[in-house]
Amino acid sequence: MPVITNIEDLRRIYERRTPRMFYDYAESGSWTEQTFRENTSDFRHIRLKQRVAVDMSGRSTRTTMIGEDVAMPVALAPVGLTGMQCADGEIKAARAAEAFGVPFTLSTMSICSIEDVAAHTKNPFWFQVYTLKDDDFMRRLFERAHAANCSAIVITVDLQLLGQRHRDLKNGLSAPPKLTVKSIANMMTKVPWGLEMLGTKRRFFGNIVGHAKGVTDPSSLSTWTAEAFDPALDWKRIAQFKEWWGGKVIIKGIMEPEDARRAAEIGADAIIVSNHGGRQLDGAVSSIRMLPAILDAVGDKVEVHLDSGIRSGQDVLKAVALGAKGTYIGRAFTYGLGAMGEKGVTKALEIIHKELDVTMGLCGETDVNRLGAHNLYVPQGFGDPTVLL
Ligand SMILES: Cc1cc2nc3c(=O)[nH]c(=O)nc-3n(C[C@H](O)[C@H](O)[C@H](O)COP(=O)(O)O)c2cc1C
């Protein structure tokens, strides 16, 4: 067993173990992948202030996100098809998150259903909804999420249309995978993955198959999004979803101050500054660079969270010190899951936690809630996307 010390180690194992179609699905951005790349590289422009000879003992990374206690300000982001990265993937990821004390967000596009995840966990999790045209389906999703005791919904607002990811089209991405010469040849090299997959019944979109009407090919993500998603979405509709749900709401996919204000006006409990991990609008600014402007606009009105590009505890620290109340990891936990199942998700969380904890100490801080701009060197113009860094 190799010694795993960072998230990149998990990614390498994940790449070896998982069929190409699903690895490519996670490890790509839309079109040229500029935004996908800049989401991670922009974190490196921010530097940390090293402090010495201050008491670094008794550190705590505990805080809250939307009023819920968390072991560190990191939640698992909603990731579609998680149950294809590893058999029963959503259940395994949810259990790892629960044991670690961080929130798990289940995607609408999951393989394990809401009911299934609820049956295999004890604590409430968060449920992510896409904004679909079908009112009946949406209302039933909310009812199902209530019945499963979900403590918040995450409404993803940046996917009215699907950003094109070339490799998904070339690979014919579907769940379960369509059996072609290419996909069979590749899967034959992924024996442990295949054996685990044969041992589970969960190989279809669990929240959709048998629940959604009028979808011609429920195994295809692109067919489903083209047919069911609402290109005419507006804030009135988002407010309607909030009312139908009646509980805590996090709005995901905000990149502009104007949109952040609209989300705050409809009474969201939190917003997530996110460009969907560079999978939607290629050419959009990295989310970490947009964070300061969004905090300026609504930081005193709504909790501001961030995702896209986080691969380490140092990244988490930078986002939190800039003012984010919480962060999410998408690919970082997916790598762990694909590499080593539930233990791999725990490993990803342990890596990020340790990096956050030690980095915090070396910055001279003992409480994650006390991090702030005083811990950072931020280049001039960082928060102004018209400035070239
Ligand atoms: C493979 C994959 C599938 C995703 N599926 C969803 C989804 O179903 N719903 C959603 O709101 N976001 C989805 N996202 C976006 C994530 O929630 C999150 O915004 C993104 O992964 C953050 O970037 P990171 O991967 O760099 O951490 C997905 C991301 C990936 C990588």
Side-chain angles (χ1 to χ4, degrees), residues 126-141:
W126 298 347
F127 183 61
Q128 175 263 330
V129 291
Y130 275 121
T131 51
L132 310 180
K133 285 183 278 197
D134 182 343
D135 280 2
D136 286 347
F137 181 73
M138 290 302 291
R139 282 183 184 273
R140 264 184 291 123
L141 266 189

Side-chain angles (χ1 to χ4, degrees), residues 166-185:
H166 302 308
R167 280 179 275 174
D168 290 352
L169 298 177
K170 293 191 165 96
N171 292 331
L173 174 76
S174 67
K178 295 208 169 70
L179 298 179
T180 63
V181 175
K182 190 175 153 194
S183 71
I184 293 171

Side-chain angles (χ1 to χ4, degrees), residues 66 78 126-129 131 152-158 233-235 237-242 248-255 259-274 294 302-307 328:
I66 57 160
W126 298 347
F127 183 61
Q128 175 263 330
V129 291
T131 51
I153 55 159
V154 174
I155 307 180
T156 299
V157 293
D158 62 4
L233 179 75
D234 58 16
W235 284 102
R237 180 88 172 143
I238 298 170
Q240 185 176 54
F241 291 145
K242 183 175 179 298
K248 285 191 183 170
V249 167
I250 301 170
I251 297 189
K252 173 172 185 283
I254 300 292
M255 285 293 287
D259 292 334
R261 279 188 210 103
R262 299 298 294 269
E265 271 162 28
I266 66 160
D269 294 276
I271 59 170
I272 311 179
V273 181
S274 167
I294 291 180
V302 61
E303 232 177 70
V304 177
H305 302 171
L306 173 134
D307 77 19
Y328 298 72

Side-chain angles (χ1 to χ4, degrees), residues 46-300:
I46 302 174
R47 303 287 159 79
L48 304 173
K49 290 191 188 173
Q50 172 178 311
R51 299 298 311 279
V52 296
V54 292
D55 186 355
M56 296 175 189
S57 57
R59 294 177 306 283
S60 167
T61 59
R62 299 201 73 82
T63 183
T64 58
M65 287 171 78
I66 57 160
E68 296 183 14
D69 287 330
V70 292
M72 61 176 168
V74 179
L76 267 51
V79 168
L81 278 79
T82 296
M84 282 288 132
Q85 305 292 356
C86 171
D88 306 332
E90 288 89 1
I91 292 174
K92 290 174 181 165
R95 290 169 72 104
E98 178 172 281
F100 206 90
V102 294
F104 171 75
T105 318
L106 182 71
S107 163
T108 307
M109 312 304 294
S110 58
I111 302 296
C112 305
S113 66
I114 315 177
E115 293 78 10
D116 230 354
V117 174
H120 289 87
T121 51
K122 287 188 218 78
N123 295 342
F125 55 94
W126 298 347
F127 183 61
Q128 175 263 330
V129 291
Y130 275 121
T131 51
L132 310 180
K133 285 183 278 197
D134 182 343
D135 280 2
D136 286 347
F137 181 73
M138 290 302 291
R139 282 183 184 273
R140 264 184 291 123
L141 266 189
F142 293 137
E143 280 165 21
R144 292 170 65 194
H146 271 303
N149 201 23
C150 293
S151 55
I153 55 159
V154 174
I155 307 180
T156 299
V157 293
D158 62 4
L159 207 142
Q160 284 166 262
L161 307 168
L162 187 67
Q164 180 169 310
R165 302 151 206 161
H166 302 308
R167 280 179 275 174
D168 290 352
L169 298 177
K170 293 191 165 96
N171 292 331
L173 174 76
S174 67
K178 295 208 169 70
L179 298 179
T180 63
V181 175
K182 190 175 153 194
S183 71
I184 293 171
N186 182 250
M187 280 190 285
M188 280 169 67
T189 66
K190 315 288 175 190
V191 175
W193 177 91
L195 290 176
E196 280 177 26
M197 227 18 113
L198 286 174
T200 181
K201 298 185 299 294
R202 304 178 183 98
R203 292 196 289 263
F204 302 88
F205 288 111
N207 295 323
I208 295 165
V209 175
H211 296 278
K213 287 172 286 191
V215 184
T216 48
D217 180 2
S219 71
S220 160
L221 190 66
S222 50
T223 307
W224 156 251
T225 43
E227 291 177 348
F229 286 41
D230 185 6
L233 179 75
D234 58 16
W235 284 102
K236 231 171 92 197
R237 180 88 172 143
I238 298 170
Q240 185 176 54
F241 291 145
K242 183 175 179 298
E243 199 186 304
W244 285 353
W245 166 247
K248 285 191 183 170
V249 167
I250 301 170
I251 297 189
K252 173 172 185 283
I254 300 292
M255 285 293 287
E256 288 296 321
E258 182 49 28
D259 292 334
R261 279 188 210 103
R262 299 298 294 269
E265 271 162 28
I266 66 160
D269 294 276
I271 59 170
I272 311 179
V273 181
S274 167
N275 55 36
H276 217 103
R279 299 164 72 78
Q280 283 294 99
L281 178 63
D282 184 42
V285 183
S286 67
S287 54
I288 191 71
R289 282 196 75 179
M290 288 313 297
L291 180 62
I294 291 180
L295 283 164
D296 278 353
V298 297
D300 55 344

